[in-house]
Amino acid sequence: MTGSDKLPLVVLISGSGSNLQALIDACQAGTLPAEIRLVISNKASAYGLVRARDAGIPTQVVAHTDYASRDDYDTALAQVIDQSGARLVVLAGFMRILTDGFVRRYLGRMLNIHPSLLPKYRGLDTHARAIAAGDKEHGCTVHFVTPELDAGPIVLQARVPIEPGDTPESLATRVLAQEHRIYPQAVAWFAEGRLALGDNGVAQLDGLPIQP
Ligand code: GRF
């Protein structure tokens, strides 16, 4: 596949960037026909920026602390994204609540990964909440982003068992390994033109509704 056949995308991060690394690795391995045009972080200290630079990918810090309001920040962010020429926005541990206007601008072309089996455990501390609830299993979800937090149409999920004695950290490690497997897979579907958000608000793979 030549460079021009590859889907241009941006990845937005705030921290470690292990999901970003999984995407970089899949691009390099040829299993993900995409070109990461730019990695954007709202934090200059995010380790994912180092991962991007090591892979020769351009980076940009758009610090939320530089903007007076959420609207101003999201406007600046959208400008940077659009200048990159990206056709898909991949949220990978981007720890920001996005404005409705921003989400609508990228509706159907913005994905997120969340560390729970949505619709269970939207928001933070998902691993601790699953353990505290006595759940037998936990997991992760790739979904299209819609204005309601962590409530967008589901694309792909992976399940892991919760073992006796699991801590939020041990469980997070088990879930993260699955995140690194399913996120590149879902992004590859999009890049191959197989994945779309239907007009009815349901995610579709090869034209068929995805039923998680
Ligand atoms: C992951 O658990 C992801 O599901 C959540 O934030 C975390 C990001 O981890 N949205 P990393 O920065 O990709 O290592």
Side-chain angles (χ1 to χ4, degrees), residues 98-127:
L98 300 165
T99 57
D100 283 10
F102 182 90
V103 172
R104 281 202 206 92
R105 182 184 191 96
Y106 299 107
L107 194 65
R109 47 193 190 105
M110 180 155 61
L111 293 172
N112 182 42
I113 188 153
H114 182 76
S116 80
L117 293 171
L118 290 172
K120 282 186 120 173
Y121 310 124
R122 295 173 184 169
L124 299 174
D125 300 325
T126 58
H127 310 300

Side-chain angles (χ1 to χ4, degrees), residues 15-20 92-93 112-115 176 179:
S16 150
S18 69
N19 278 288
L20 165 67
N112 182 42
I113 188 153
H114 182 76
L176 210 46
E179 294 184 31

Side-chain angles (χ1 to χ4, degrees), residues 11-22 46-48 51 91-95 112-116 123-124 126-127 139-141 150 172 175-176 179-180 183:
V11 183
L12 272 56
I13 61 165
S14 297
S16 150
S18 69
N19 278 288
L20 165 67
Q21 188 67 57
Y47 181 67
R51 298 180 191 269
L91 305 181
F94 187 60
M95 301 302 282
N112 182 42
I113 188 153
H114 182 76
S116 80
L124 299 174
T126 58
H127 310 300
C140 49
T141 304
D150 298 331
V175 171
L176 210 46
E179 294 184 31
H180 299 161
Y183 214 5

Side-chain angles (χ1 to χ4, degrees), residues 28-57:
Q28 287 176 349
T31 52
L32 170 54
E35 180 195 349
I36 304 175
R37 285 276 173 93
L38 181 65
V39 171
I40 302 172
S41 174
N42 63 319
K43 290 185 179 173
S45 60
Y47 181 67
L49 293 170
V50 176
R51 298 180 191 269
R53 284 181 207 124
D54 284 351
I57 298 167

Side-chain angles (χ1 to χ4, degrees), residues 12 33 46 83-84 92 102 107 124 162 166 169 191:
L12 272 56
Q83 273 163 12
S84 77
F102 182 90
L107 194 65
L124 299 174
I162 298 183
D166 254 337
E169 292 72 29

